Amino acid sequence: MSKVSQKGSTLIVSLILLTSVTLLSLINLNISTNQIRIVTNLQTKETLFYTTRSELLAKFQKYRADGSSSAELSEAIERSLEEGVVELDSELQADPAEISELNTTLRYRNTSPVSMNYAFSTNNSIGHMATRKFEISSLTTDKTGRFHATQLLGFTFQVPKS
């Protein structure tokens, strides 16, 4: 019986293949982890955007629906002389697991009157009504503090001139 010398080439080839498959798996795992982070960040940004938008629309609908919020509007007009804003209570219950802060402010935009010729006819309200311009601003921050969403909504009211 002759002894056949073993060189171990099969072992070396299998180790090289195993190492290359392991490296490819690690690279794919890293790519998948980064994609999950990207998707999570996009979801967070979308959540902040739509929470901020919903807050603005809820406030706007409240102002348009009834006169119960006229005190906030009056306070905003009073504070406009000192360039102040009115801090508002949130209309929404934000999810504390995702959102750490939801701030909404109201500002009256005092604009100078425009001089116009109001003599179009005798039976109209032109010149008897004043436009009051307001802005609602909302800022939403996620629980990590890394992402913010800010939106601004302007609206007007026509009121009788005093």
Side-chain angles (χ1 to χ4, degrees):
M1 233 172 152
S2 69
K3 286 189 166 184
V4 178
S5 63
Q6 298 286 328
K7 297 191 179 194
S9 62
T10 304
L11 180 62
I12 291 174
V13 169
S14 64
L15 285 175
I16 290 173
L17 285 174
L18 183 62
T19 304
S20 63
V21 167
T22 304
L23 286 176
L24 286 174
S25 298
L26 289 174
I27 290 170
N28 284 334
L29 181 65
N30 191 20
I31 290 171
S32 296
T33 303
N34 285 337
Q35 288 177 343
I36 288 173
R37 287 180 184 154
I38 290 169
V39 168
T40 302
N41 289 343
L42 287 173
Q43 287 176 337
T44 301
K45 288 180 181 181
E46 288 291 315
T47 299
L48 293 176
F49 175 83
Y50 285 108
T51 300
T52 305
R53 183 175 182 267
S54 296
E55 173 69 14
L56 288 179
L57 292 178
K59 284 292 184 188
F60 178 71
Q61 293 302 326
K62 176 183 170 187
Y63 293 140
R64 289 291 184 202
D66 60 7
S68 66
S69 55
S70 62
E72 291 175 352
L73 298 173
S74 297
E75 186 179 351
I77 291 173
E78 290 172 11
R79 289 191 184 191
S80 69
L81 299 174
E82 58 211 34
E83 285 299 317
V85 297
V86 177
E87 297 286 332
L88 303 174
D89 294 329
S90 177
E91 296 291 318
L92 300 177
Q93 293 298 325
D95 183 8
E98 294 184 21
I99 296 173
S100 67
E101 180 179 10
L102 178 59
N103 295 328
T104 306
T105 59
L106 176 67
R107 178 187 305 265
Y108 173 66
R109 301 309 282 174
N110 189 11
T111 57
S112 59
V114 176
S115 175
M116 293 181 66
N117 181 3
Y118 294 119
F120 296 120
S121 79
T122 57
N123 296 327
N124 66 30
S125 63
I126 296 176
H128 301 286
M129 301 296 283
T131 301
R132 301 288 184 234
K133 297 180 181 181
F134 294 92
E135 290 178 349
I136 308 170
S137 176
S138 186
L139 168 69
T140 308
T141 306
D142 75 320
K143 66 180 178 181
T144 65
R146 295 183 303 152
F147 297 106
H148 306 280
T150 303
Q151 293 186 32
L152 180 70
L153 175 69
F155 63 97
T156 62
F157 278 111
Q158 294 289 328
V159 297
K161 280 189 176 179
S162 54

